[in-house]
Amino acid sequence: MDEELKCPVCGSLFKDPILLPCSHNICLACARNIIVQTPEGETPPHGSSSRASGTSDYDYLDMDKMSMYSETDSGYGSYTPCLKSPNGVRVFPPSMVGGGGGGGGVHRQHCSITCPLCHRSVSVDERGLKGFPRNRLVESIVSRYQQSRAAAAVKCQLCDRNPVEATVFCEQCDVFYCAPCQQRCHPSRGPLAKHRLVPPSQAASAASAAARAGAAQQPPTQHPPATARKPATCAEHEAENFSIYCMNCKVPVCAKCMEEGKHAKHDVKPLAVMWKQHKCQLSQALNGVSDKAKDAKEFLVQLKNMLQQIQSGVEFEACLVAQCDSLIEALTRQKAKLLTKVTKEKEYKQKVVRDQITHCTMKLRQTTGMMEFCLEVIKENDPSGFLQISDALVKRVSSSQDQWVKGALEPKVGPEFDLTLSTDALLQTILQLDFCQNKVDSSPSVPAAPLLQLEKCCTRNNSATLAWRVTAPTGSPIEGYVLELDDGNGGQYREVYVGKETVCTVDGLHFNSSYNARVKAYNGIGVGAYSKTVVLKTSDVAWFTFDPTSAHRDIVLTNENLTVSCNSYDDRVVLGTAAFSKGVHYWEVCIDRYDNHPDPAFGVARINTLKDTMLGKDDKAWAMYVDNNRSWFMHNNSHTNRAEGGISKGTTVGILLDLTQRTLTFFINKEQHGPTAFESLEGVFMPAVSLNRNVQVTILTGLEVPKTIKQ
């Protein structure tokens, strides 16, 4: 809408716009600049006198002659030089009348103004520019546009230098903050945690937002008080408001115009009726324009796709270079991978040999020391003393001899590398690399199978990232891709992504599972073939942290979200970032601080469990709460299986979630605490902790599952 609100003369937003008979608008000040004054019967001189006048703010860039015909019945017609405004349209500057026009008498001046857009001229009567109605509607729209633009540019009020754009607004402090200043000066904890932070666009009003931001950055200045916009009044009867619409002249008029003006015998209708009728007509017209605009957008997309296809044809040489570079890059990456394998193999062999040297040296030292001791014992002449220790020594010697079993003095690895690299076939393929002479069918067809980029496909924790590319262009542009994964057990495939992107990350997979993935493309013709299948294995154990997005606002997370504490005396819940529905998972929580014997709770919960009460109070959490002496299991506010033994600073609480057996078991300091706490668990569970301000804990993940479980 920006261009609709700019004056065609000065190129700036309209200021006091007036409406010309041709329905175009210009600023009042710009109209004064381009008004033309000419004595009746004379033709204005050419550009030399106009340039000498100095009455226009614009340079005369285009001096071609434009015919200017009056819309009135005066029959006036003349030629005048034109120039170009900052918007690029022709405008007509004021012209000074020369002194050699036939006689020295004073000539009556004829004033006219030419529209800079359609170049239609209209005479100016004795009222001057006041005879043109002021376009209050455009003026109002410009005012709202300026306010919205000012509100969108609200700056931070606490930045010392070069204020940046504000990201939040505190309704209690009445201050705009950028992200760094909000973290530094208005953290979401302590007394400030209850303040309401909203986006700048949701502040009380855009105008007040701009005023506050401007007041923080500029010294105070005196401004006249704002006045409400007056109702539109008649140009001929300034004391009268518009109330009637003239059907003949198609303009709003006042009551006096009907009584004594030129509209007395014209057909008229109430202004409100015609206002609604014309609004309806404009809305209907906009529907048609909207359809055309939609067609134009689709046509532009079609043209851009065509341009891309043309560029892919004319840049064949660049494509060839890119393909060769891709082969070289792939070979370089593969070389690095092979070298990494060799390095790992070498390090493994070195470690095995060093460990064997260390182990053998220690055993040899023990054996040698025992031998020397036995020799010294044999030298003793005290029979009773000898017999006191002889049996034990004989057993030790026999046991030491048993340690040197067969294979103990043989190397566990050899110096040779059992790795063989065959490059003959690849080298032959490279030598045979050439252009295909196949005739390309340019007719539209379904897309070819995408090529999975294995070097970019990877897994992290229980997330998998896949990337692919198009192998060959088709006559019809590709509209999107479909990515499918199986269930991690070799079951049926299911769609996990449909869209235009060529990179996708899938979260929430099962841990310690192997997933098969494939992708296909589709266009307006149909669906193409699947790509080759790639196998992605998720992490064996779960690595996760506490989740700040779902935690209660009184929860405080530190140490990269591994450590949690609380600002409230009441229990508050925080969940982990991992979700489990399959497999066996074990993690521990270390008690960093424990004051005044509170009873924190540890366990698992659904994502929608209550966050403002102890874990296990509702039916969406399964927990063990424990103090310094005893513990209880709790689910849906039901307390069971009281067990002796509590926690203190330094204690570790272990949680074992076995979704194979569908059980939940707890441990304290590596020992199982009580019987199996809960059975018949089904669904998706997230690690959970509830605590108050007397407790601080740190979560430990990626741990092996304990071996001994008692029922």
Side-chain angles (χ1 to χ4, degrees), residues 616-623 633-639 678:
K617 287 283 188 179
D618 60 0
D619 62 347
K620 298 178 178 60
W622 295 257
F633 302 147
M634 184 165 64
H635 168 64
N636 200 14
N637 206 23
S638 174
H639 310 251
F678 300 101

Side-chain angles (χ1 to χ4, degrees), residues 148 159 163 238 336 364 395 452 460 497 564 631 634 641 700:
S148 64
C159 288
E238 296 184 356
L364 181 59
K395 291 180 181 179
L452 285 166
R460 184 178 182 273
Y497 171 75
V564 60
S631 66
M634 184 165 64
N641 294 96
L700 307 173

Side-chain angles (χ1 to χ4, degrees), residues 147 250 491:
Q147 289 180 0
K250 297 190 180 300

Side-chain angles (χ1 to χ4, degrees), residues 43 279 307 514 609 615:
T43 300
K279 270 195 173 184
L307 180 62
S514 295
T609 188
L615 191 69

Side-chain angles (χ1 to χ4, degrees), residues 223-466:
H223 298 283
T227 57
R229 185 160 57 94
K230 297 180 179 179
T233 57
C234 180
E236 297 182 3
H237 310 95
E238 296 184 356
E240 295 291 329
N241 295 337
F242 289 127
S243 59
I244 307 172
Y245 184 80
C246 178
M247 301 295 292
N248 297 61
C249 303
K250 297 190 180 300
V251 294
V253 297
C254 67
K256 285 190 176 181
C257 288
M258 293 299 302
E259 296 173 359
E260 55 191 39
K262 61 181 181 180
H263 304 280
K265 296 183 179 181
H266 291 178
D267 294 333
V268 296
K269 286 189 176 181
L271 189 66
V273 173
M274 295 306 299
W275 174 50
K276 293 182 180 179
Q277 181 179 339
H278 281 211
K279 270 195 173 184
C280 182
Q281 292 176 357
L282 180 60
S283 298
Q284 293 175 353
L286 280 177
N287 290 334
V289 175
S290 175
D291 294 338
K292 295 298 181 183
K294 183 179 179 181
D295 295 340
K297 288 181 180 179
E298 294 176 354
F299 180 63
L300 280 175
V301 173
Q302 181 182 352
L303 290 179
K304 290 179 181 179
N305 291 333
M306 186 181 298
L307 180 62
Q308 291 178 354
Q309 294 176 12
I310 295 173
Q311 288 176 343
S312 65
V314 299
E315 296 175 357
F316 185 75
E317 182 179 350
C319 246
L320 174 62
V321 173
Q323 286 178 312
C324 293
D325 289 345
S326 177
L327 291 175
I328 296 172
E329 184 181 353
L331 187 59
T332 303
R333 288 196 299 267
Q334 197 63 25
K335 172 186 172 183
K337 289 182 179 179
L338 294 175
L339 287 175
T340 301
K341 286 185 177 180
V342 172
T343 302
K344 289 183 177 179
E345 181 70 13
K346 181 177 66 175
E347 292 175 349
Y348 169 73
K349 288 178 176 289
Q350 289 175 342
K351 183 178 182 301
V352 170
V353 173
R354 288 195 183 101
D355 290 345
Q356 196 169 11
I357 289 173
T358 302
H359 184 64
C360 186
T361 301
M362 182 183 65
K363 288 173 61 178
L364 181 59
R365 183 184 299 113
Q366 293 174 350
T367 303
T368 304
M370 184 187 63
M371 289 172 59
E372 292 180 356
F373 178 70
C374 290
L375 290 175
E376 292 298 324
V377 170
I378 292 174
K379 293 179 183 179
E380 288 294 328
N381 296 323
D382 183 4
S384 60
F386 177 83
L387 292 174
Q388 284 180 339
I389 63 173
S390 59
D391 287 339
L393 284 177
V394 170
K395 291 180 181 179
R396 285 184 59 192
V397 171
S398 299
S399 175
S400 177
Q401 186 176 359
D402 293 339
Q403 292 180 0
W404 302 97
V405 295
K406 183 179 180 181
L409 299 179
E410 294 178 0
K412 294 182 178 180
V413 295
E416 302 84 8
F417 288 88
D418 299 329
L419 301 172
T420 304
L421 183 64
S422 177
T423 60
D424 295 340
L426 178 60
L427 182 59
Q428 188 66 24
T429 303
I430 293 175
L431 294 176
Q432 293 177 353
L433 189 63
D434 200 352
F435 295 110
C436 296
Q437 299 300 323
N438 298 334
K439 181 179 179 181
V440 179
D441 185 8
S442 59
S443 61
S445 61
V446 298
L451 180 64
L452 285 166
Q453 297 179 279
L454 301 181
E455 67 277 8
K456 296 182 180 179
C457 297
C458 61
T459 59
R460 184 178 182 273
N461 216 8
N462 64 332
S463 299
T465 299
L466 297 103

Side-chain angles (χ1 to χ4, degrees), residues 1-20:
M1 192 176 65
D2 215 16
E3 295 302 322
E4 293 286 339
L5 304 180
K6 288 184 178 179
C7 174
V9 178
C10 63
S12 303
L13 294 177
F14 284 116
K15 184 176 182 181
D16 299 329
I18 61 173
L19 182 65
L20 300 179

Side-chain angles (χ1 to χ4, degrees), residues 512-551:
N512 194 23
S513 300
S514 295
Y515 287 87
N516 295 300
R518 63 186 184 184
V519 64
K520 60 183 178 181
Y522 63 90
N523 58 13
I525 307 300
V527 180
Y530 284 106
S531 67
K532 293 184 178 180
T533 301
V534 63
V535 180
L536 299 170
K537 188 177 185 307
T538 55
S539 175
D540 293 339
V541 294
W543 300 86
F544 57 91
T545 64
F546 289 117
D547 183 12
T549 60
S550 62

Side-chain angles (χ1 to χ4, degrees), residues 39 42-45 49 95-102 107:
E42 288 194 7
T43 300
S49 63
S95 300
M96 298 292 292
V97 180
H107 298 276

